[in-house]
Amino acid sequence: MSKQLKNVSHDYIRYANCWEDADILLQALKTEPKDRVLSIGSAGDNSFSILIDNPELVVAVDINAVQLNLIELKKAAFKELNYLEFLQFLGFNDCDDRWQLFLKLKKSLSPELTDFWTTRRKEVENGLIYQGKFERYFQLFHQKILPLIHNKKRITQLFEQKTLEQQVQFFNKKWNNWRWRMLFRLFFSKFVMGRLGRDPKFLKEVEIPVSTFILQQAKKHLSAVECQNNYFLQFILTGKFNTVPHYAREENFEKIKSNVDNLVVFHGLAEDAFKEHQDFNKFNLSNIFEYMDDELFKTVCENLASNARSKSKFAYWNLLVPRKMSVVVSEIEQIENADENYSSKDKGFFYSKFNVSFKP
């Protein structure tokens, strides 16, 4: 993994938000108080969400140190701010002076982290949830591309409450015009996504037409009533969250706050976290297998399986590259029908499959 990604830049916020659905992740993992969880860090959102079930330990692991600094800053925000301040600080709500809120966090930040974020004061002041490369990619879409396709009134209409029949009719007659199909395919092509959204090396293993696949995924979701309250879709099409992700919901705030010290970060590869932490039995693996060739995928899966406790659960997403742990490691079993149970609920509509695997 390190050889494959050694030329990928890790000196900026790549993801300011987690783009996997925490609700289905929690339903799948069913975390309990004695569990020890290895969780891909990214922006930290789903690692924080896991804390509502009071696990013994959550280790948020990432190869990008900036992502871990972001997680540590969000952790300090949970510790030092009330709920309204928390929403204002991160950018969910407007705020007149985010820097004053940052100064309240300093008691929970190391001197190194304080210095790091002081040099990035503009990112803090503009709202952290908008500062990732991936988020700027979506902002470019809704600011520059979407206005060429639909006006604000029609975008609002997409999210209005309708029956399934009405949603399908709206999509077919009002939304799915030739401009939508043409500009969507252009903007979400492998070439444009690799340069403006993700990194070209993250798409190295992709063999299918990227934009055609994502367009079909969008068609299915925008024709379903579930799209009407999808905060991921809201951000992509409007540039903001009209409803907030799981970790930022008011009913979850105090639960996460009370358990937030159970979360620690680890800088490195997921398979290397076992050198410092052991006895994991729950795994949030995001879509890390997407970036691996077949040989590396098998090696990493064997490492995870051999170091996991018995009766462990693994949850992970496929996007453009089909991967299944049970295919390459005999002791891992796929929990069948998981995709059927979760796919219609998954707010990450762009993913092709949500997998849940089990080590007996």
Side-chain angles (χ1 to χ4, degrees), residues 305-312 314 331-333 357-360:
S306 64
N307 283 282
R309 281 184 354 210
S310 60
K311 299 183 179 179
S312 288
F314 306 84
E331 62 182 307
I332 297 296
E333 300 176 4
S357 298
F358 180 73
K359 177 183 175 180

Side-chain angles (χ1 to χ4, degrees), residues 43-83:
D45 308 352
N46 290 356
S47 300
F48 288 119
S49 287
I50 292 169
L51 291 172
I52 68 165
D53 294 319
N54 194 28
E56 179 181 308
L57 177 70
V58 176
V59 178
V61 56
D62 209 288
I63 57 176
N64 185 341
V66 178
Q67 295 294 149
L68 298 181
N69 290 348
L70 177 62
I71 294 172
E72 293 278 29
L73 186 59
K74 289 183 178 180
K75 179 178 177 179
F78 269 110
K79 295 179 74 169
E80 303 298 339
L81 303 179
N82 62 41
Y83 180 64

Side-chain angles (χ1 to χ4, degrees), residues 25 28-29 31 35-40 50 59 61 270-271 273-274 277-286 288-289 300-301 303-317 325 332 354-357 359:
L25 174 66
L29 288 182
T31 307
D35 288 342
R36 296 170 64 87
V37 186
L38 181 65
S39 180
I40 299 303
I50 292 169
V59 178
V61 56
E271 58 267 32
F274 296 108
H277 304 278
Q278 296 79 38
D279 210 28
F280 292 110
N281 67 317
K282 298 288 172 69
F283 296 81
N284 162 34
L285 299 176
S286 181
I288 62 168
F289 302 139
V300 171
C301 288
N303 180 282
L304 292 170
S306 64
N307 283 282
R309 281 184 354 210
S310 60
K311 299 183 179 179
S312 288
K313 270 189 178 181
F314 306 84
Y316 57 98
W317 280 262
M325 294 181 72
I332 297 296
F354 177 64
N355 298 275
V356 185
S357 298
K359 177 183 175 180

Side-chain angles (χ1 to χ4, degrees), residues 122-134:
K122 187 174 182 180
E123 290 180 309
V124 173
E125 291 181 328
N126 289 337
L128 289 164
I129 62 172
Y130 304 105
Q131 303 309 310
K133 179 181 179 181
F134 203 53

